[in-house]
Amino acid sequence: MRLRYLFVDMNSYFASAEQHYRPELRGKPVAVVPMIVDSTCCLAASYEAKYCGIKTGTSVAEARQRCPGITFIVADHVRYIKLHHQIVEAVESCLPITAILSIDEMVCRLWQQDQEEDQATALAAQIKQAIRTQVGESLRCSVGIGPNRMLAKLASDLQKPDGLTVIHPADLPDRLYSLELRDFPGIGRNMERRFHSAGITRVEQLCDLTVADMSRVWGSTVIGTAWYRLLRGDDVLPPPTHTRSLGHSQVLPPESRTEEGARAILMRLLHKAAGRLRQTGYWTRCVEVAVSYYGSEHWRASATIPLCQDTLGLLQTTADLWAMRPLGRPLKVSVTFSKLVSRENAAPSLLLEDRERLDLSQAMDHANMRFGIYSVYFGAMHGEQTGNRTRIAFHSVPDLSLIDP
Ligand SMILES: [Mg+2]
């Protein structure tokens, strides 16, 4: 069995990008934040900051305490996207990219003649060198090489920063035993809980599962079979992750704890969630709206709808549900899409009106990718402070051609 994939994962990408643009910050602890207030959390930390125990999610207050000399920088996604293009170009000067998985992750399928270890690792070294010389010295990456995409990605996680790790087909499955279940892409908190309730807590047990057992835990033969094969190094596409719902919630800022304020924020959350739904290739069948009130009262209502992915359709359902809420002083709102259906399984509506709505939503996504997430939105959200645009980090870069052509 051969090494078919090479995975590139940029290290501490946002923080390294800042160090790239501002040489005076190189070698220093840096944290990228959505805004500079103590109550917010770090989006990314440079390696110098990581050595002080700061990571994604560490609060600004704690980061300041752990590392008094740290520099906080407000995220500038447009810059990160520009740099991303340069990185893509540098990688492609060595090897064509098969898929860009997020702003700082990409995977390449190796040519037949490069599938032996010596050739594959030489290519990895070339890629690192190309990024250093064509983009910048402060940008480092961890490269993982493996027989399939999932194992190449896992390999890239094993050594940071500036790693180069090969997972050999011959070392499977033992090579994986030192990992945690959560290290596997696709096993999140919920899935881990399901494995635990099936008595599987170690990767060794995961690797011992039969196809039937694996399928039972995943609740799907397609996913179970794919996992069984992936763990053995077969070149199957990573199965769809077990996304069952997608949504956003927000505790209302004091000035928005009114009927209008809460509604506007709910619509903003909807806009963001609908964009994510399209970006991740899912359709929803169910919309749920929930409101928490002062005095710890909760209310929730849901509606089952025909498969939907467009903002306008989802906006309508959300507004209908919102109209059913009891009156009171709202404290927190959320909108959740559940009963998700993936792109492969969705048979979207062929009605012209529905298609037009979807086209409109997609055009909106493109404009928002280009100019910032709240550049284009529907009238229902108008009047609400859209706040700090940089609160939303990019999880992927869906259409590169639209950014800085
Ligand atoms: Mg990374």
Side-chain angles (χ1 to χ4, degrees), residues 197-308:
S197 32
I200 293 133
T201 53
R202 289 175 296 110
V203 172
E204 191 171 349
Q205 294 170 297
L206 178 78
C207 294
D208 279 346
L209 289 179
T210 61
V211 176
D213 288 338
M214 190 76 90
S215 303
R216 205 167 304 123
V217 184
W218 279 101
S220 149
T221 314
V222 174
I223 301 180
T225 310
W227 268 82
Y228 179 89
R229 294 186 55 193
L230 284 167
L231 292 171
R232 282 149 186 82
D234 287 356
D235 185 18
V236 291
L237 268 179
T241 48
H242 218 64
T243 303
R244 300 197 141 177
S245 69
L246 183 161
H248 290 294
S249 66
Q250 190 177 328
V251 175
L252 304 170
E255 67 278 11
S256 295
R257 292 174 187 172
T258 59
E259 294 288 313
E260 310 77 64
R263 183 182 198 280
I265 288 190
L266 179 70
M267 295 308 168
R268 180 151 71 86
L269 297 177
L270 173 99
H271 171 77
K272 189 172 129 188
R276 261 183 71 202
L277 199 63
R278 291 188 289 276
Q279 204 174 327
T280 49
Y282 281 93
W283 268 257
T284 181
R285 268 186 212 288
C286 182
V287 179
E288 183 188 275
V289 172
V291 186
S292 304
Y293 295 92
Y294 272 94
S296 62
E297 268 187 51
H298 301 286
W299 169 84
R300 64 182 65 231
S302 61
T304 302
I305 52 171
L307 277 184
C308 187

Side-chain angles (χ1 to χ4, degrees), residues 9-13 104-105 160:
D9 177 11
M10 301 306 297
N11 302 131
S12 292
Y13 179 59
D104 72 334
E105 290 181 332
K160 289 176 177 180

Side-chain angles (χ1 to χ4, degrees), residues 110-130:
L110 294 166
W111 302 115
Q112 192 86 24
Q113 67 269 24
D114 294 328
Q115 294 187 355
E116 296 296 338
E117 180 166 0
D118 289 350
Q119 285 81 351
T121 51
L123 260 173
Q126 256 181 50
I127 288 172
K128 283 166 176 281
Q129 181 64 23

Side-chain angles (χ1 to χ4, degrees), residues 101-401:
L101 302 169
S102 74
I103 196 161
D104 72 334
E105 290 181 332
M106 47 213 91
V107 64
C108 309
R109 196 184 154 94
L110 294 166
W111 302 115
Q112 192 86 24
Q113 67 269 24
D114 294 328
Q115 294 187 355
E116 296 296 338
E117 180 166 0
D118 289 350
Q119 285 81 351
T121 51
L123 260 173
Q126 256 181 50
I127 288 172
K128 283 166 176 281
Q129 181 64 23
I131 294 173
R132 264 196 303 270
T133 54
Q134 296 174 37
V135 190
E137 271 173 24
S138 50
L139 293 153
R140 288 179 292 179
C141 62
S142 287
V143 176
I145 295 167
N148 60 40
R149 275 165 68 153
M150 183 176 86
L151 295 173
K153 177 175 167 53
L154 275 175
S156 77
D157 284 335
L158 291 175
Q159 194 193 349
K160 289 176 177 180
D162 205 19
L164 170 51
T165 309
V166 181
I167 291 187
H168 283 281
D171 298 339
L172 293 171
D174 309 38
R175 182 76 165 83
L176 308 174
Y177 291 171
S178 61
L179 298 169
E180 305 283 338
L181 293 177
R182 284 288 290 279
D183 293 334
F184 285 76
I187 302 186
R189 190 156 30 102
N190 288 339
M191 225 23 244
E192 182 187 46
R193 214 174 289 140
R194 287 175 60 158
F195 275 113
H196 283 181
S197 32
I200 293 133
T201 53
R202 289 175 296 110
V203 172
E204 191 171 349
Q205 294 170 297
L206 178 78
C207 294
D208 279 346
L209 289 179
T210 61
V211 176
D213 288 338
M214 190 76 90
S215 303
R216 205 167 304 123
V217 184
W218 279 101
S220 149
T221 314
V222 174
I223 301 180
T225 310
W227 268 82
Y228 179 89
R229 294 186 55 193
L230 284 167
L231 292 171
R232 282 149 186 82
D234 287 356
D235 185 18
V236 291
L237 268 179
T241 48
H242 218 64
T243 303
R244 300 197 141 177
S245 69
L246 183 161
H248 290 294
S249 66
Q250 190 177 328
V251 175
L252 304 170
E255 67 278 11
S256 295
R257 292 174 187 172
T258 59
E259 294 288 313
E260 310 77 64
R263 183 182 198 280
I265 288 190
L266 179 70
M267 295 308 168
R268 180 151 71 86
L269 297 177
L270 173 99
H271 171 77
K272 189 172 129 188
R276 261 183 71 202
L277 199 63
R278 291 188 289 276
Q279 204 174 327
T280 49
Y282 281 93
W283 268 257
T284 181
R285 268 186 212 288
C286 182
V287 179
E288 183 188 275
V289 172
V291 186
S292 304
Y293 295 92
Y294 272 94
S296 62
E297 268 187 51
H298 301 286
W299 169 84
R300 64 182 65 231
S302 61
T304 302
I305 52 171
L307 277 184
C308 187
Q309 198 193 35
D310 74 274
T311 303
L312 212 51
L314 296 166
L315 198 70
Q316 187 58 54
T317 308
T318 306
D320 292 346
L321 290 169
W322 172 254
M324 292 158 55
R325 84 205 172 282
L327 294 178
R329 197 167 166 217
L331 193 63
K332 183 181 170 187
V333 289
S334 72
V335 59
T336 309
F337 306 140
S338 55
K339 301 184 186 163
L340 301 187
V341 177
S342 66
R343 187 183 285 132
E344 300 76 46
N345 300 317
S349 169
L350 295 173
L351 293 178
L352 183 62
E353 188 197 0
D354 291 346
R355 295 214 52 87
E356 282 174 355
R357 280 175 167 194
L358 190 54
D359 288 347
L360 178 62
S361 293
Q362 280 161 353
M364 193 168 70
D365 292 342
H366 291 167
N368 288 338
M369 272 308 291
R370 175 73 177 81
F371 301 111
I373 186 152
Y374 295 122
S375 303
V376 182
Y377 52 88
F378 287 104
M381 295 160 57
H382 193 66
E384 168 59 19
Q385 280 286 333
T386 46
N388 190 332
R389 293 196 324 210
T390 55
R391 284 180 65 175
I392 289 90
F394 285 92
H395 293 296
S396 65
V397 190
D399 192 341
L400 302 171
S401 61

